[in-house]
Amino acid sequence: MRQVVQLYARTVWLLIAHPGRLTAAHLAGQQIRFVLPMRLYLAASFLFFMLVKVLLLGHGGQGVGSVLQISNARSGSEQVQQKLKEANANGSIGIEIGNAIGQTETVRTGRQIRLKCESGAVCEAFKKVGAMDLTQLKELVAKTVSNFVARAPYLVFCLLPFYALLLKLVYWRRAMAYADHFVHSLHLHAFWFLTFLLLAVLPLRVGLAVVVWRTLYDFLSLQRVYGGRWLLTLLRGAAMTALYLITLLLGLLLLFVGEFIFAAM
């Protein structure tokens, strides 16, 4: 047990304090001295998503329910209609609601946004949401967030090969196998999870230093593993980060919307 703790401590320290050195050591055949990349990633992601689950779903789901505290317990459709009337009075937008709340109501202003609900599973789900009271809506959101947190790790795991592919594309001239880029992808993701954990437990001043180190880390790691000119490293790193973040956020959004619809069905 003591040897395992020392092994993880040595690996985590090298990962956090020396960008790219853990990947370089692995590629140099020194795997036995450190935790294997997949095990390190799984441990870091497990701790991170456990923390997210505690923060969002702790205390019997009150973390989610607290964002839905509304003093007036009117039904969902009544709240929607009231918001529409307020918007109409302010001259902001107009919305035509069809089958979503079981009737047709048109609020006319200078600019109209028409939302029509036709037959289908998605339509039926939104019909159910429109007919829910506040308690049911809170339960729906809590269930959606719970399912989202449970499935988000799988989404991030599926994106590991995608990030490795990005590394392969931007460094296509390097004589490196795809598996080598995948190892680097595992190490980078493990570092990201660990830094998020540190931000959650460290004081604000120390957390700001972690944010700065997190910003610089990716570029330093790329330079250490792949070499090349610093300007090209910065451009490659910025392009990969932007594309990966867009893909990740889009995937998380689609996952959340999908979980919301399935929970309402």
Side-chain angles (χ1 to χ4, degrees):
M1 183 64 182
R2 181 179 179 181
Q3 293 179 346
V4 173
V5 173
Q6 291 178 345
L7 180 65
Y8 271 90
R10 180 168 63 248
T11 303
V12 171
W13 171 252
L14 187 64
L15 175 69
I16 294 178
H18 303 280
R21 285 189 59 182
L22 185 60
T23 302
H26 182 90
L27 298 182
Q30 303 176 14
Q31 300 95 326
I32 194 172
R33 297 179 53 196
F34 307 101
V35 179
L36 294 177
M38 183 60 72
R39 291 182 181 178
L40 180 62
Y41 167 83
L42 292 176
S45 63
F46 173 79
L47 293 175
F48 171 75
F49 284 106
M50 280 296 296
L51 177 63
V52 172
K53 186 173 183 179
V54 170
L55 293 177
L56 291 180
L57 306 176
H59 307 289
Q62 293 180 3
V64 176
S66 62
V67 302
L68 296 173
Q69 297 298 325
I70 303 175
S71 58
N72 193 350
R74 294 174 297 178
S75 67
S77 60
E78 291 175 344
Q79 293 182 32
V80 171
Q81 295 176 28
Q82 181 62 28
K83 292 297 182 180
L84 289 173
K85 293 177 181 179
E86 294 176 357
N88 185 40
N90 296 330
S92 54
I93 60 173
I95 301 179
E96 180 182 279
I97 299 181
N99 296 330
I101 58 175
Q103 60 182 345
T104 300
E105 177 178 348
T106 304
V107 181
R108 299 186 179 278
T109 59
R111 178 182 299 177
Q112 282 197 354
I113 300 176
R114 300 179 181 272
L115 301 178
K116 295 183 179 180
C117 184
E118 304 296 340
S119 60
V122 175
C123 180
E124 293 299 325
F126 280 105
K127 286 182 182 180
K128 292 181 180 180
V129 173
M132 287 180 179
D133 57 24
L134 182 60
T135 301
Q136 293 173 325
L137 185 60
K138 290 170 63 175
E139 293 176 353
L140 173 62
V141 173
K143 182 179 180 181
T144 300
V145 174
S146 178
N147 293 339
F148 173 79
V149 172
R151 290 174 173 80
Y154 300 101
L155 172 64
V156 178
F157 184 81
C158 291
L159 288 178
L160 285 170
F162 174 69
Y163 192 84
L165 179 61
L166 293 179
L167 290 171
K168 180 69 174 178
L169 292 176
V170 298
Y171 288 103
W172 63 276
R173 292 186 176 181
R174 302 294 192 276
M176 299 175 64
Y178 175 81
D180 298 334
H181 299 292
F182 189 74
V183 169
H184 195 196
S185 176
L186 288 169
H187 286 157
L188 286 176
H189 281 77
F191 170 78
W192 298 340
F193 286 135
L194 292 175
T195 52
F196 291 141
L197 288 172
L198 291 176
L199 289 175
V201 299
L202 292 177
L204 179 59
R205 293 182 179 180
V206 182
L208 292 177
V210 174
V211 172
V212 174
W213 182 239
R214 163 66 186 88
T215 304
L216 299 175
Y217 186 94
D218 292 359
F219 302 105
L220 296 174
S221 183
L222 292 175
Q223 184 66 21
R224 175 78 183 187
V225 175
Y226 301 104
R229 297 180 181 180
W230 269 106
L231 179 59
L232 291 179
T233 298
L234 293 175
L235 293 176
R236 287 166 172 160
M240 284 194 308
T241 300
L243 182 57
Y244 182 74
L245 284 179
I246 292 174
T247 305
L248 176 61
L249 293 176
L250 181 60
L252 291 174
L253 176 62
L254 292 176
L255 176 62
F256 186 86
V257 172
E259 292 297 341
F260 182 82
I261 293 174
F262 280 114
M265 292 175 61

